[in-house]
Amino acid sequence: MTAENPTGPLGGHLDDDDYPAYTMGRAAEMLGTTPGFLRAIGEARLITPLRSEGGHRRYSRYQLRIAARARELVDQGTPVEAACRIVILEDQLEEAQRINAEYRRAAAEQAENGSD
């Protein structure tokens, strides 16, 4: 097995943050929470786990990071629905800031190339 041609049950997914590798039980264990918490944040539409062929929920590392942030807020006393909304807004803000930075870089490059 080589890095260029991975084999095995996960194929080339070991570095894929979006690959749904974790069962609900394992995800809950990793987060130190319950499957009920994962169901609750799913119902609040914070994360949408993929389903296995048998219908079981599967979570990615990216989804687990989002769930961990929601759990932090809930542990601080924030209701689950509010925690999910906060995490969604934080994620939207981060994305908007990333896009804004890209636009600024592009504008700076354009101004620099235009002044030659």
Side-chain angles (χ1 to χ4, degrees):
M1 176 167 65
T2 66
E4 294 80 34
N5 189 16
T7 60
L10 293 178
H13 300 292
L14 288 175
D15 294 329
D16 186 353
D17 265 2
D18 295 318
Y19 183 73
Y22 303 98
T23 63
M24 176 180 271
R26 180 68 180 131
E29 180 183 316
M30 291 170 68
L31 295 170
T33 190
T34 64
F37 175 78
L38 292 172
R39 281 191 288 277
I41 63 174
E43 289 169 10
R45 297 184 181 179
L46 178 61
I47 57 175
T48 304
L50 281 111
R51 298 282 182 151
S52 68
E53 289 181 17
H56 300 282
R57 291 173 179 91
R58 300 285 181 182
Y59 298 89
S60 68
R61 287 187 301 211
Y62 174 74
Q63 290 173 323
L64 293 183
R65 283 195 301 273
I66 290 172
R69 175 64 181 132
R71 181 167 185 249
E72 287 175 16
L73 292 167
V74 169
D75 287 350
Q76 294 170 6
T78 307
V80 171
E81 297 80 14
C84 290
R85 186 66 183 141
I86 290 167
V87 173
I88 289 167
L89 291 170
E90 288 174 342
D91 192 51
Q92 289 173 346
L93 176 60
E94 184 179 321
E95 178 67 6
Q97 289 173 330
R98 184 191 62 77
I99 291 169
N100 194 14
E102 286 178 17
Y103 285 140
R104 285 184 180 155
R105 266 193 302 279
E109 286 176 13
Q110 189 176 25
E112 190 175 288
N113 291 335
S115 64
D116 288 345

